[in-house]
Amino acid sequence: MSEKPPSDILDRRRFLGAAGLAGAGALLPLAAKAGEAAKPDPMITELQDWNRFLGDGVDKKPYGVPSKFEKDVIRRDVSWLTASPESSVNFTPLHALDGIITPSGLCFERHHGGVAEIDPAQHRLMINGLVDTPMVFTMDDIRRMPRVNKVYFLECAANSGMEWRGAQLNGCQFTHGMIHNVMYTGVTLKTLLDQAGLKPNAKWLMLEGADSAGMNRSLPVSKALDDVLIAFAMNGEALRPENGYPLRAVIPGWQGNLWVKWLRRIEAGDMPWQAREETSKYTDLMPDGRARKYTFVMDAKSVITNPSPQAPLKFKGRNVLSGVAWSGRGTVKRVDVTMDGGRNWREARIDGPVLDKSMVRFYVDFDWNGEELMLQSRAIDETGYVQPSKAELRKVRGVNSIYHNNGIQTWLVHPDGVTENVEIA
């Protein structure tokens, strides 16, 4: 005995068939040459499983996760960079993102002693040293203070550090992925310091984490009173453990190493502490062997995320070039893009919010006929600072450092669309 499909399914199939023809016609300018008749697309005219069967109920995944078809959009590490995963880094997949907000689950990680798992009910933040009244705050104390929401980029000082001596890593996830851009919620550090009362000779603060490395950094009081936040949430939810749960420092525009996670203590003093992270690490070694100290600000920088080695060009004709730019000195005013290695530049279209010390997203809509492209972008910030070429940067800084490399990145697009990391002599 043969079964006939239910009449409602037959009716739906006929409806979808008609809709498929109509839809194909609507897409004709992109899908077919002029004068060709549109052909029914079985992906529209035929029922698919997602049309045929019920999907998961509302409680199947009580915390949302990306589609299984996005399983490759993940943070990745470079195993040979570090000796152990507990003191290592992985990278944000910039080539797979759009807009300016980095999803919390894709923000790059950089730890010195692994991820600390802290019960917020037992967490404390102490302020001591050169203050009128040493203070200890619980998380409940902090959450009852006036709070603010700010979008800032966080960039590791070593972002692009492997590229100082030449093109190394084939993917903007690896050359530029030690950065993310999120909305933080917290209280200003000034609010906390005002309660403790800084003594007149307090010029520096030491921020200390509760992780096993006891990560600590010195921070000038002038910056602390300007725009520093103590955050307990990002992108609308509690911080993730890998991002410093339950409390972290947010130091807008300054290198990520200062953004101490799992923050437990702030000591006020009259001079910097000269901790390991500001002496043997995170100082820029110059060609003559001397080191630049206190290079906190991250200068203007940009990168084209698409096309890039992990996101090659697939189609001739209409295409969208996309990328991100940022500056630790304020807002990004303009981004220029060249497709011929710097002979000709055009101004990119910045779309979306342009915020202080935050990423911007830029685009160039273009037609590609299959010719070789040499892609670069350069950011200009509100101070007039222009992102330098790598040659200009090396002329001043040499190649001994691994920090603060904001040189212009070059991608070579081959006629088959394959894209690679190169440098122009």
Side-chain angles (χ1 to χ4, degrees), residues 91-110:
F91 302 84
T92 302
L94 293 176
H95 62 288
L97 305 179
D98 216 318
I100 66 167
I101 298 297
T102 312
S104 298
L106 294 177
C107 292
F108 82 97
E109 296 179 43
R110 173 71 174 105

Side-chain angles (χ1 to χ4, degrees), residues 86-277:
E86 290 80 17
S87 181
S88 189
V89 61
N90 58 21
F91 302 84
T92 302
L94 293 176
H95 62 288
L97 305 179
D98 216 318
I100 66 167
I101 298 297
T102 312
S104 298
L106 294 177
C107 292
F108 82 97
E109 296 179 43
R110 173 71 174 105
H111 315 308
H112 296 79
V115 177
E117 293 281 358
I118 300 175
D119 179 351
Q122 300 183 39
H123 189 67
R124 303 289 185 270
L125 173 64
M126 181 170 75
I127 297 181
N128 67 331
L130 296 177
V131 296
D132 296 328
T133 308
M135 305 285 293
V136 175
F137 301 95
T138 67
M139 289 302 298
D140 286 338
D141 293 334
I142 292 171
R143 289 196 187 96
R144 289 187 292 120
M145 295 177 185
R147 64 185 66 174
V148 296
N149 292 283
K150 297 285 186 180
V151 177
Y152 292 123
F153 76 83
L154 188 171
E155 182 182 18
C156 177
N159 200 21
S160 310
M162 288 75 75
E163 305 290 303
W164 267 111
R165 294 170 184 256
Q168 294 288 325
L169 300 171
N170 220 24
C172 69
Q173 179 170 14
F174 305 114
T175 60
H176 291 74
M178 282 194 274
I179 189 169
H180 54 70
N181 197 66
V182 307
M183 174 173 278
Y184 294 98
T185 304
V187 302
T188 67
L189 179 50
K190 184 177 185 306
T191 298
L192 299 173
L193 294 175
D194 284 347
Q195 294 198 31
L198 285 174
K199 292 185 180 297
N201 58 333
K203 302 300 180 186
W204 287 81
L205 304 176
M206 187 274 289
L207 278 57
E208 179 183 82
D211 59 325
S212 62
M215 172 70 190
N216 63 343
R217 282 298 306 253
S218 301
L219 178 73
V221 165
S222 57
K223 177 67 173 178
L225 298 177
D226 180 19
D227 56 4
V228 172
L229 303 182
I230 303 302
F232 48 80
M234 58 187 276
N235 290 341
E237 62 181 359
L239 293 169
R240 301 285 175 93
E242 59 267 36
N243 300 123
Y245 180 89
L247 204 61
R248 77 167 309 162
V250 173
I251 321 289
W254 287 21
Q255 63 188 34
N257 186 256
L258 289 154
W259 299 44
V260 174
K261 296 181 285 190
W262 314 290
L263 184 66
R264 70 174 178 184
R265 191 167 72 92
I266 300 174
E267 182 176 348
D270 57 0
M271 61 180 64
W273 271 255
Q274 306 293 356
R276 186 190 80 114
E277 301 295 325

Side-chain angles (χ1 to χ4, degrees), residues 24 48 64 91 109 216 242 268 271 284 294 308 375 394-395:
Q48 309 297 320
F91 302 84
E109 296 179 43
N216 63 343
E242 59 267 36
M271 61 180 64
D284 305 322
Y294 312 131
S308 64
L375 304 178
R394 289 176 183 137
K395 188 175 181 179

